[in-house]
Amino acid sequence: MGDWCRRKARTGALCVFVSAALFAAGCGGSSHGGSPTTASGPPVKGGEVSFALPAGNSPNMILPFFGAAYIGNANTMDFMALMYRPLYYLDGQTFQLDEEKSLAAPPVYNSARTAVTIQMKRWHWSDGEPVSPKDVAFFIALAKTETANWWAAVPGLFPANVKSVSYDDAANSFTLHLTGPVNPDWFTYNQLSLIQPMPLAWDITGPGKKANCTDEDVAAEASECPKVYNYLESQAKSTSTYATNKLWQVVNGPWRLKSFSPGGTSVVLVPNTSYSGSDKPHISEFQLESFTSEQAEYNVLRSGTSLTVGYLPFIDAPQKPTNGGGGPNPVSGYNLEPWFSWALNYINVNFNNPVTGPVEHQLYFRQALQYLTDQNTWIKDAYNGYAAPDFGGVPNQPSTPYLTSYVQNAPYGFDVAKAKSLITSHGWTISGSGPATCTSPGTGSGECGAGVKAGTPLSFSLTYPAGQESVSTELQDYQSKLREVGIQVTLRTLPLNALFATALPCTPKQSTCNWGMVDFGGPDSYDPFWYPDDGLEFSCGAPANTSSYCNPALDKIYANQVYRNPGLAALHEVENLVTQDAAFVFIPVPDGQLTEVRSNLGGYTQSGTMAIAPEDWYFTSGS
């Protein structure tokens, strides 16, 4: 798979058609990456590549086992995947397992779909240790003992749906014995995709203090793993020591860390000379550069002096031609390449905010919010045409077998009159330019709804990332549309990392639950959940369920059908239910990035998973 954590994508991606047979369990691996999109010619060994990160976003975690506060940082995920390979790597052009970059052969299920065997490759870590089933045992043990500290934990799912594991160290394989039959498509692409082998060098509780979290023994795991996790997490919080801490120099990916500036605003990686894969780096150095704003990045890009791969702010982009592609490139020496990912995009509402939560629990209110999304205008004005509409639980583009006609036909298409009618017919009075107020409290017909008190104003905050001008343009128009029906929204900005740390799942009694609505500023990639059930964000109590949305009927469909039965019927039911329930405010999916690539950079591709693979890039002769 690609950059292996479901999170907010960078602001772009490559539009990929997904075939109906895409997720066939046990499908054969594909060659990596597809055709290069830029310069061709023989690789020149060496050279430094600098890659611009989205505005306000920089890596802030290095341990590939982490909590919900880090899931939104696209750059953290890219950063880790360069050094620490997941068990399965997805080819972002074909959306099949990439055998070249994966640590194991495709999984093999038994006929009852109750067990799956994985044969690992004979790869090695940079300290000489083999990449082995013990490394998998290490990760699974942490997932079991540190559930509260793992971003991907969903009640009843991995590793809870694994009854036992048989490790065959001699054969370099392991078998997961499951608690019941599974949908192989879903289990491969949404459960096995989570496994991140971790080196034996990390199985310690302090310098020189060896532990036993990798012993493949349940009793030892329960005793040792919490202490190991506490130590690793303490080291991972010290970002200033990332480049000097020997722990993080033990890697199995194509890159290792050379330097890490304060705040991660400039990160330098160099080739891992012990990398076992065949796709060894051509370039001698890879640099990740962060900027405070899109315009700051654009100023550096236009200077033509330091960025190899940058991006064009949507506000500065030429209008997208009707036949697709990009318009005239305003930056000389670069190729303009829109990057579209298969992803959702939405505004989160905080169902558990003690003040506004009761209102957000009302279906009619969420429907009104959706009716006021003027997506066609936003695509044109905020993104200059480099975006696609999103009306529900599966995006409209690219065309996939997962998209239902109900969602495709926009059940809550832009309609100010319908939104206003929903508000006024449910006990709210609109007067003047201020927020509407609840004048008919109660749970009956024509009343405001459960928990909404008389006099409650329709007043909310909507926070989005600082420095993203297209998002600002979009939300200012949304603010105006909301005002027309008595919904008053105060727009606020935060640096992206701060926003991810602020808008977390919470309970009404927590002081941190005072955030209202949040737009994280970019599409939410399915990675690493390529079977698009969205359970990670819609299941009751899931750590990544930022909004604290909960629908027990939906959870039953997940548990009894989506996760167990092959086919798409249950998945379509989930998609329609999430859309009808207006679980999120779905908004256009912008091209995650309007990439500017130096014309002499070869081997560069833009993956639909939003992963980057600088090990495949090279400068051409004459550069």
Side-chain angles (χ1 to χ4, degrees):
M1 51 175 252
D3 91 347
W4 60 271
C5 181
R6 181 169 178 98
R7 42 71 175 162
K8 294 289 163 184
R10 69 181 67 257
T11 51
L14 180 65
C15 184
V16 179
F17 178 82
V18 187
S19 71
L22 178 72
F23 296 103
C27 63
S30 62
S31 62
H32 171 70
S35 301
T37 57
T38 54
S40 59
V44 173
K45 192 69 174 176
E48 300 175 358
V49 167
S50 56
F51 184 89
L53 299 175
N57 206 349
S58 57
N60 61 351
M61 173 52 63
I62 197 169
L63 177 66
F65 185 95
F66 50 87
Y70 299 97
I71 64 172
N73 193 329
N75 307 298
T76 290
M77 312 314 164
D78 286 335
F79 169 61
M80 284 191 276
L82 296 173
M83 300 177 287
Y84 314 115
R85 283 298 196 227
L87 183 68
Y88 285 119
Y89 195 103
L90 196 79
D91 185 312
Q93 308 298 323
T94 65
F95 289 83
Q96 292 183 341
L97 298 184
D98 185 331
E99 291 191 54
E100 182 183 18
K101 290 182 180 290
S102 294
L103 300 180
V108 178
Y109 290 82
N110 67 357
S111 58
R113 310 191 313 279
T114 56
V116 56
T117 299
I118 291 117
Q119 178 66 55
M120 301 187 69
K121 296 178 182 177
R122 301 286 179 176
W123 282 26
H124 286 79
W125 294 93
S126 56
D127 64 355
E129 285 283 348
V131 178
S132 72
K134 283 187 177 294
D135 304 324
V136 173
F138 191 179
F139 183 82
I140 293 177
L142 286 178
K144 289 192 296 185
T145 59
E146 296 298 322
T147 300
N149 294 311
W150 187 37
W151 71 273
V154 176
L157 302 188
F158 186 86
N161 53 15
V162 177
K163 183 168 54 178
S164 63
V165 188
S166 300
Y167 297 99
D168 189 337
D169 295 312
N172 209 38
S173 67
F174 63 96
T175 299
L176 302 179
H177 305 279
L178 310 176
T179 55
V182 297
N183 175 350
D185 296 354
W186 166 77
F187 198 83
T188 295
Y189 285 89
N190 289 19
Q191 301 287 270
L192 296 181
S193 60
L194 299 172
I195 296 177
Q196 177 72 41
M198 295 169 59
L200 301 185
W202 294 358
D203 188 13
I204 57 177
T205 58
K209 297 181 180 179
K210 183 64 180 172
N212 295 301
C213 192
T214 59
D215 269 8
E216 302 168 6
D217 177 82
V218 175
E221 292 169 358
S223 171
E224 297 291 297
C225 293
K227 292 180 288 186
V228 171
Y229 170 75
N230 288 338
Y231 176 68
L232 294 177
E233 187 203 27
S234 71
Q235 298 300 293
K237 284 183 176 180
S238 179
T239 59
S240 63
T241 65
Y242 277 4
T244 57
N245 192 323
K246 292 181 179 179
L247 283 173
W248 315 130
Q249 291 296 320
V250 181
V251 299
N252 64 2
W255 302 92
R256 66 174 180 82
L257 190 60
K258 177 183 178 182
S259 64
F260 192 94
S261 69
T265 55
S266 182
V267 178
V268 178
L269 298 106
V270 293
N272 167 22
T273 57
S274 301
Y275 178 51
S276 301
S278 60
D279 53 335
K280 292 177 171 57
H282 299 283
I283 59 176
S284 59
E285 193 168 279
F286 181 61
Q287 304 160 358
L288 296 170
E289 302 292 344
S290 182
F291 298 87
T292 56
S293 69
E294 291 178 336
Q295 283 303 306
E297 183 275 341
Y298 189 38
N299 290 338
V300 173
L301 180 70
R302 285 188 297 181
S303 73
T305 58
S306 61
L307 283 178
T308 314
V309 181
Y311 57 88
L312 185 64
F314 288 99
I315 196 170
D316 297 300
Q319 191 70 32
K320 185 176 182 177
T322 56
N323 62 350
N329 192 356
V331 184
S332 62
Y334 291 81
N335 296 320
L336 174 58
E337 300 177 4
W339 190 358
F340 192 84
S341 71
W342 190 39
L344 293 173
N345 200 24
Y346 47 79
I347 296 170
N348 289 271
V349 299
N350 185 0
F351 285 83
N352 280 349
N353 183 301
V355 177
T356 62
V359 177
E360 289 161 338
H361 271 279
Q362 309 307 316
L363 175 60
Y364 71 82
F365 176 72
R366 301 196 304 275
Q367 289 171 328
L369 292 179
Q370 190 65 59
Y371 274 127
L372 294 167
T373 59
D374 189 359
Q375 299 205 32
N376 288 336
T377 296
W378 298 349
I379 290 170
K380 177 179 178 293
D381 293 346
Y383 299 106
N384 278 332
Y386 297 95
D390 183 2
F391 302 123
V394 168
N396 272 36
Q397 293 183 21
S399 176
T400 73
Y402 308 111
L403 180 65
T404 66
S405 58
Y406 174 74
V407 175
Q408 188 174 27
N409 291 327
Y412 304 126
F414 177 60
D415 194 320
V416 175
K418 285 184 179 180
K420 189 171 186 178
S421 176
L422 283 169
I423 298 299
T424 57
S425 66
H426 282 87
W428 298 87
T429 297
I430 302 173
S431 59
S433 59
T437 56
C438 175
T439 51
S440 296
T443 58
S445 176
E447 295 178 331
C448 300
V452 182
K453 299 177 182 178
T456 296
L458 285 182
S459 182
F460 306 85
S461 66
L462 202 173
T463 310
Y464 64 97
Q468 296 193 11
E469 296 187 34
S470 293
V471 177
S472 179
T473 298
E474 181 179 48
L475 294 185
Q476 286 178 30
D477 182 78
Y478 191 41
Q479 180 187 46
S480 176
K481 298 293 194 304
L482 292 167
R483 191 181 298 121
E484 291 184 45
V485 304
I487 302 173
Q488 187 175 73
V489 166
T490 301
L491 297 179
R492 299 171 178 170
T493 62
L494 280 176
L496 193 54
N497 285 355
L499 184 54
F500 288 136
T502 299
L504 294 172
C506 56
T507 63
K509 293 184 178 180
Q510 291 178 298
S511 60
T512 55
C513 210
N514 59 355
W515 62 273
M517 301 182 193
V518 165
D519 182 341
F520 286 104
D524 193 353
S525 168
Y526 283 103
D527 195 355
F529 303 97
W530 294 110
Y531 192 81
D533 65 82
D534 296 310
L536 183 71
E537 294 183 325
F538 295 136
S539 294
C540 301
N545 183 345
T546 302
S547 293
S548 300
Y549 170 79
C550 183
N551 185 334
L554 185 65
D555 280 10
K556 288 182 180 179
I557 302 172
Y558 282 134
N560 300 330
Q561 299 178 52
V562 173
Y563 301 151
R564 297 202 176 277
N565 301 329
L568 297 178
L571 189 67
H572 288 165
E573 186 177 359
V574 163
E575 176 189 345
N576 289 347
L577 180 55
V578 164
T579 304
Q580 189 278 330
D581 209 26
F584 291 155
V585 181
F586 295 99
I587 56 179
V589 180
D591 288 5
Q593 185 167 286
L594 301 182
T595 312
E596 293 280 6
V597 186
R598 275 198 180 277
S599 56
N600 61 355
L601 185 68
Y604 179 85
T605 58
Q606 299 197 132
S607 168
T609 67
M610 300 309 299
I612 54 176
E615 61 273 15
D616 298 333
W617 306 349
Y618 56 87
F619 289 106
T620 57
S621 57
S623 61

